[in-house]
Amino acid sequence: ESIEDTDIKGADGVDIDLSEMSSTMAYSQIYTMIYSPEEYIGKTVRMKGNFTIYHALDENGNVIEDSMYFACAVADATACCAQGLEFVLGGGKTYPEDYPKEGDEIIVEGRFGTYEELGIVYSQLEDARLL
């Protein structure tokens, strides 16, 4: 591994390690990643937070039962606000067998990417794994 590679990526292959940051710093970094995603596409991200499940809503605001999005959420220092990143586990993992309980503290690592759904761009960690 060259010196240049070490400067760009940590020794463990992680580009952005939010798991070692304070909750306020991690919250701020995730906010930046979500609102300026183009700078982070393809980077390996590791983060620590709470396992959260989100459901899509229909046009009337009702939960669509079979739509589940998994995320790692980080609260700010005052715990009034949370910022999270959706993740998709690699390796054919299925819910609920291969996932923690909602609310459990997790560390997740994956490749940052975006996708578009109904004209809205969302951020996620792709091919992720739980550590």
Side-chain angles (χ1 to χ4, degrees), residues 43-94:
K43 296 199 180 291
T44 301
V45 177
R46 178 184 297 154
M47 65 183 293
K48 178 168 59 175
N50 294 96
F51 178 62
T52 307
I53 301 171
Y54 297 97
H55 294 274
L57 303 177
D58 66 18
E59 60 277 355
N60 298 316
N62 299 312
V63 170
I64 301 171
E65 284 303 323
D66 59 349
S67 68
M68 299 178 87
Y69 300 90
F70 306 108
C72 182
V74 177
D76 70 353
T78 62
C80 77
C81 307
Q83 203 55 263
L85 271 179
E86 179 185 345
F87 66 87
V88 177
L89 292 180
K93 305 286 187 195
T94 58

